[in-house]
Amino acid sequence: MSGSTVTSLFERPPVGVVGEPLPHESAELHVTGHALYTDDLGVRLQNLLHAWPRQAPHAHARVTRLNVAPALAVPGVVRVLTAEDVPGVNDAGVKHDEPLFPTEVMYYGHAVCWVLAETLEAARLGAEAVEVEYEPLPAILTIQEAIAAESFQGQPSTLRRGDVTLGFAAAAHVFEGELEMGGQEHFYLETNASLAYVDESGQVFVQSSTQHPSETQEIVAHVLGRASNEVTVQCLRMGGGFGGKEMQPHGYAAIAALGAVLTGRPVRLRLNRTQDLTLTGKRHPFYARWKVGFDEGGRLLALQATLTSDGGWSLDLSEPVLARALCHIDNAYFIPHVEVHGRIAKTNKTSQTAFRGFGGPQGMLVIEDILGRCAPRLGLEPHELRRRNFYRPGERTPYGQPVRHAERLETIWSTLLRTSDFEARQAELRAFNAAHPHVKRGLAITPVKFGISFNFTSYNQAGALVHVYKDGSVLINHGGTEMGQGLHTKMLQVAATALGVPLSWVRLAPTRTDKVPNTSATAASSGADLNGGAIKDACEQIKARLAAVAAGSLSALSVKVGALGVHPNDVRFEHGRVFPVGHPELGIDFRQVVHDAYHLRTQLWAAGYYRTPGLHWDRDAMQGEPFKYFAYGAAVSEVEVDGFTGAYRLRRVDILHDVGDSLSPLIDQGQVEGGFVQGAGWLTLEDLRWDTGNGPQRGRLATQAASTYKLPSLSEMPEVFNVALLERATESGVVYGSKAVGEPPLMLAFSVREALRQAAAAFGPQGRETTLASPATPEAVFWALEAARQASARPEVAAD
């Protein structure tokens, strides 16, 4: 890599920090308790006020009277924030359909006002003292109720290719069915938190646990009726986000900022776990009706489906979530004729929002459920049916994007079948099942093809600010946020590699809107792609200037070895040394070059910028190339199911995943493992329940604590867990040849659900379709295996 010539984005220098398996940059701080989060910062401020919401006990109601006087009489209460206090726009969203202080309650637990007090306990008692009267209104709680009432919101979408009528006419086998899948609670370790104060110049400073500081800044500004340059938002780090802090934190930041402006005192707002569960959105539940056609060889010919998502009470990100679901209903399979309709139900529940995978998992689950159900009826092994339908090189998705590197699907599949001993284990499993009438095992393999980029094209841009100080130390700022996923670790590695300095010379500053403006959310798995590109751009600008300075110094040295001087393009930066190509022995210290550059009045800082090239997307036609590339992977899972209870254990998991040339292999392996386990939680354990009865608790979230909402824990981890990253997988056009890793691994967990289907089916006759609810809880698995048992018993009943 040359010193002054800007190289291609993916090209790696022979020496650098990228690719090294380093621990998370804050790992030691995490485990020792020294890592600071938003709520840790409030203790440093004097006269801090605490915020507490008054939550409504109705799923849908009109507020007819709001009397805050009793709250103000509670000792310690300073102020009650209501709609009358908003100097700007009374709205917490970007679509202006989320009143910050509502006059119409839209879900059970909706906050109608916020109390500020000297202590948290005083704020809580003050909120209880607020007098509110309601006029209850009819509430819609389920997707089925919304469909019956024709309660929809946003724009419907249709993805279409070919002619499904022709496809079904040519099909040898046509099947129909439906699938309902539950949502998922983010359950990040750190709940939503904001801390706001007004500084001596009147600047509103907000510390927020947010994945999208620029949008938080924008919402705070419009609530306060101020310009964005009067509001600064900083995100130090998050204790998890998973998409739940992409849109949802804005309103809480606005409440804290409004309180700080009105009282002149710092305001702290941190939701407790019950408040976070009852106030914030979840993964969208979906309901799908489908019809599918196969030819004689089991190849997909046509798919017709309608997907209905539960958007909750407001739009939030429901439209792009639905669009991604439609764009991923094919997963890894070529389907010639496609017609898929999508619509968003409006219900009286929390506004459902982004969650790792952003609609992709819901769309992909539809096709994986179809193949899992149809394989026995086609007389094929499920893994063979899947393999027969893989994309081949040269084929395009239903929305018109070429599937680049489609051959990696076959490579990953065949490699994983071999390394997991799939065939031998299948034989062992059949023998085990034959010998054990009350315990059965299942083994399944499923693929992943996931598009990387925001499907809102404008978001595919990023900025960075890199400073080199006179002593040679480096400070980087970028627009991405750290939520535990290791983005900052990767960015430190990118900067150190691009500048050719040791990692210890580089420091990273917290993400804040007055350093890098107009940033996109850290979401869509694009954090490293976008911000890494911007950091590399900034570093190369600086390095080009340094190379010009170094060339002069090195030319004098090179004369001693008979050379004719050094061109800036021939300057190399490695390990903190700067030298002419081919002559590392003539190297001078990077810090000396920086010192010389400063005295020659050379700019030692740069603003970097990156925009993802080649993207185009017609939202209305659902056609274009919305993704930079596809991430591929596959997983093999083996389960064992108890026939008396439906309880199961995950015996072994083998994963092979494509992350390109990894920027940070240890970080990527952790992301693959964590994503898989979170996906398994969604598909098998995590069961959100709302009270859908007609009593006074209608609309109340019943699973509002860890005691009632089951999360995957150590006991749910596979007993054997083998994770490998695909080798020789360079992705051109992405920073240092890497690929995104945040979301794609979540969908590897489909293999667990399909293994459970196989195990349940083993309790009954072969060749029978086995339906399985989602999430496939032990109860759901029991009913599936019980249906299989009954199918075995029916011939005997008929004989009697």
Side-chain angles (χ1 to χ4, degrees):
M1 181 161 155
S2 62
S4 61
T5 304
V6 175
T7 61
S8 61
L9 188 62
F10 75 91
E11 187 181 347
R12 288 192 180 191
V15 176
V17 190
V18 289
E20 290 187 15
L22 302 176
H24 192 287
E25 47 89 24
S26 292
E28 189 174 321
L29 301 177
H30 290 155
V31 298
T32 59
H34 286 91
L36 296 176
Y37 295 85
T38 296
D39 198 50
D40 296 322
L41 306 173
V43 295
R44 305 176 177 196
L45 300 173
Q46 290 185 324
N47 301 317
L48 184 67
L49 294 177
H50 305 264
W52 193 278
R54 175 60 188 262
Q55 295 182 261
H58 300 283
H60 191 198
R62 192 172 288 110
V63 179
T64 56
R65 178 173 171 269
L66 182 66
N67 179 20
V68 303
L72 295 172
V74 173
V77 170
V78 171
R79 184 144 188 167
V80 181
L81 301 179
T82 67
E84 284 69 36
D85 294 312
V86 178
V89 182
N90 179 30
D91 198 276
V94 294
K95 293 184 176 293
H96 298 292
D97 64 345
E98 299 179 46
L100 191 59
F101 299 99
T103 55
E104 184 181 351
V105 170
M106 296 300 289
Y107 63 95
Y108 197 107
H110 205 161
V112 295
C113 64
W114 289 79
V115 175
L116 307 180
E118 305 281 356
T119 66
L120 200 59
E121 180 66 4
R124 183 185 70 81
L125 293 173
E128 287 183 2
V130 174
E131 295 176 355
V132 193
E133 293 178 5
Y134 303 93
E135 176 193 340
L137 300 170
I140 293 171
L141 292 179
T142 67
I143 294 178
Q144 301 299 346
E145 288 176 1
I147 292 172
E150 297 187 355
S151 175
F152 301 106
Q153 58 184 328
Q155 293 298 313
S157 299
T158 298
L159 176 67
R160 186 179 278 110
R161 173 171 63 189
D163 186 333
V164 291
T165 305
L166 295 176
F168 289 129
H173 307 280
V174 176
F175 306 112
E176 294 186 56
E178 60 182 357
L179 172 66
E180 191 155 5
M181 63 194 85
Q184 187 178 19
E185 165 57 39
H186 301 88
F187 223 105
Y188 22 66
L189 288 176
E190 177 204 24
T191 57
N192 273 281
S194 289
L195 178 68
Y197 62 88
V198 182
D199 70 14
E200 64 284 352
S201 66
Q203 175 85 357
V204 179
F205 189 80
V206 183
Q207 300 271 9
S208 176
S209 183
T210 175
Q211 291 174 236
H212 201 170
S214 288
E215 198 166 79
T216 301
Q217 173 194 31
E218 181 184 330
I219 298 301
V220 169
H222 89 210
V223 168
L224 296 179
R226 298 193 178 195
S228 289
N229 67 357
E230 298 177 72
V231 177
T232 298
V233 174
Q234 175 171 293
C235 177
L236 191 59
R237 58 167 59 83
M238 284 168 277
F242 311 119
K245 293 176 181 174
E246 182 174 347
M247 291 281 282
Q248 306 273 308
H250 308 334
Y252 307 120
I255 293 291
L258 178 62
V261 167
L262 293 176
T263 64
R265 297 172 62 175
V267 173
R268 162 192 181 259
L269 187 160
R270 182 184 65 80
L271 303 182
N272 64 30
R273 182 60 67 185
T274 300
Q275 288 167 342
D276 201 284
L277 281 159
T278 55
L279 284 166
T280 68
K282 327 293 180 196
R283 183 188 293 282
H284 291 71
F286 267 63
Y287 169 72
R289 289 199 59 83
W290 53 264
K291 179 180 178 182
V292 66
F294 296 88
D295 68 11
E296 284 287 3
R299 288 179 180 81
L300 286 158
L301 290 180
L303 172 65
Q304 190 173 44
T306 297
L307 306 187
T308 307
S309 77
D310 183 347
W313 74 279
S314 68
L315 267 180
D316 195 275
L317 289 164
S318 293
E319 288 175 315
V321 164
L322 180 66
R324 189 172 276 264
L326 298 185
C327 288
H328 283 77
I329 197 166
D330 58 330
N331 190 12
Y333 314 110
F334 177 72
I335 312 170
H337 302 282
V338 174
E339 184 184 290
V340 185
H341 303 282
R343 56 190 180 176
I344 304 160
K346 184 171 185 175
T347 60
N348 294 110
K349 291 194 285 200
T350 53
S351 187
Q352 314 315 0
T353 190
F355 198 130
R356 198 175 194 168
F358 200 79
Q362 292 96 315
M364 292 160 73
L365 181 58
V366 174
I367 192 65
E368 292 301 335
D369 190 64
I370 288 171
L371 296 179
R373 287 168 65 170
C374 294
R377 298 176 68 176
L378 293 168
L380 290 170
E381 291 275 6
H383 71 278
E384 175 59 22
L385 177 61
R386 289 184 164 91
R387 189 196 64 77
R388 288 187 189 184
N389 284 288
F390 282 166
Y391 275 104
R392 309 293 176 200
E395 293 178 336
R396 291 175 177 263
T397 65
Y399 46 91
Q401 177 151 353
V403 181
R404 202 160 137 267
H405 293 156
E407 67 280 358
R408 287 192 188 179
L409 280 166
E410 186 63 53
T411 299
I412 290 170
W413 195 257
S414 56
T415 303
L416 190 58
L417 287 175
R418 184 182 70 254
T419 58
S420 68
D421 300 318
F422 190 87
E423 194 173 331
R425 287 166 62 197
Q426 266 198 316
E428 292 171 11
L429 184 142
R430 282 191 285 267
F432 178 90
N433 287 348
H436 295 80
H438 304 303
V439 179
K440 304 292 182 185
R441 290 177 181 171
L443 180 69
I445 178 171
T446 57
V448 166
K449 174 189 116 303
F450 190 82
I452 302 297
S453 289
F454 286 96
N455 54 6
F456 181 60
T457 305
S458 299
Y459 282 171
N460 294 289
Q461 59 176 306
L465 184 62
V466 176
H467 300 311
V468 176
Y469 293 97
K470 285 188 288 182
D471 64 355
S473 63
V474 181
L475 179 69
I476 61 174
N477 290 267
H478 64 89
T481 55
E482 176 63 53
M483 59 196 99
Q485 84 279 34
L487 176 63
H488 284 352
T489 308
K490 289 183 173 182
M491 296 305 94
L492 288 165
Q493 289 177 271
V494 168
T497 301
L499 290 172
V501 298
L503 191 67
S504 60
W505 293 12
V506 185
R507 181 174 165 268
L508 192 142
T511 311
R512 50 189 286 167
T513 56
D514 61 352
K515 294 296 184 289
V516 181
N518 309 321
T519 57
S520 300
T522 306
S525 305
S526 61
D529 290 4
L530 296 177
N531 295 288
I535 287 173
K536 187 169 183 283
D537 175 45
C539 290
E540 288 187 337
Q541 291 177 49
I542 296 168
K543 194 164 64 173
R545 297 174 200 141
L546 293 177
V549 172
S553 303
L554 294 170
S555 291
L557 293 171
S558 67
V559 170
K560 297 178 180 178
V561 293
L564 296 176
V566 178
H567 190 277
N569 286 359
D570 294 327
V571 175
R572 296 291 184 267
F573 292 71
E574 289 180 7
H575 294 313
R577 303 283 291 171
V578 184
F579 57 88
V581 60
H583 290 284
E585 75 281 0
L586 298 179
I588 54 179
D589 194 289
F590 177 86
R591 291 166 290 199
Q592 182 63 47
V593 176
V594 170
H595 173 271
D596 295 345
Y598 171 76
H599 286 282
L600 288 170
R601 295 188 295 178
T602 304
Q603 183 180 332
L604 293 174
W605 59 270
Y609 181 75
Y610 175 77
R611 60 189 291 272
T612 311
L615 304 180
H616 61 95
W617 180 240
D618 186 328
R619 167 71 178 77
D620 296 326
M622 293 289 288
Q623 290 293 309
E625 297 190 20
F627 306 121
K628 175 65 176 169
Y629 57 86
F630 294 103
Y632 301 106
V636 173
S637 292
E638 182 179 344
V639 299
E640 184 174 288
V641 171
D642 183 307
F644 295 110
T645 63
Y648 45 81
R649 59 192 179 102
L650 190 50
R651 287 172 45 81
R652 177 175 165 180
V653 172
D654 295 80
I655 290 171
L656 180 57
H657 195 72
D658 170 21
V659 296
D661 290 338
S662 175
L663 292 175
S664 197
L666 205 57
I667 296 292
D668 284 346
Q669 182 173 336
Q671 284 290 286
V672 172
E673 293 169 351
F676 173 86
V677 171
Q678 192 169 52
W682 170 53
L683 292 166
T684 67
L685 292 172
E686 301 179 45
D687 196 6
L688 286 164
R689 295 290 182 96
W690 281 267
D691 188 331
T692 55
N694 292 316
Q697 300 288 301
R698 177 171 169 80
R700 177 182 176 272
L701 180 67
T703 48
Q704 54 180 257
S707 57
T708 49
Y709 185 74
K710 186 166 175 56
L711 292 159
S713 61
L714 198 61
S715 58
E716 278 76 42
M717 289 289 285
E719 295 164 26
V720 178
F721 201 1
N722 301 316
V723 176
L725 304 179
L726 184 66
E727 297 179 352
R728 296 181 298 280
T730 306
E731 183 62 35
S732 61
V734 186
V735 63
Y736 290 132
S738 62
K739 272 188 176 183
V741 72
E743 293 168 299
L746 184 133
M747 285 139 290
L748 295 167
F750 292 142
S751 58
V752 179
R753 185 172 186 272
E754 290 306 304
L756 289 171
R757 188 198 306 277
Q758 297 284 82
F763 285 91
Q766 291 186 342
R768 176 186 166 275
E769 176 183 341
T770 300
T771 57
L772 185 60
S774 186
T777 60
E779 180 186 20
V781 171
F782 175 79
W783 291 118
L785 69 86
E786 184 65 14
R789 278 201 193 111
Q790 291 174 4
S792 290
R794 281 191 199 105
E796 299 166 19
V797 172
D800 290 345

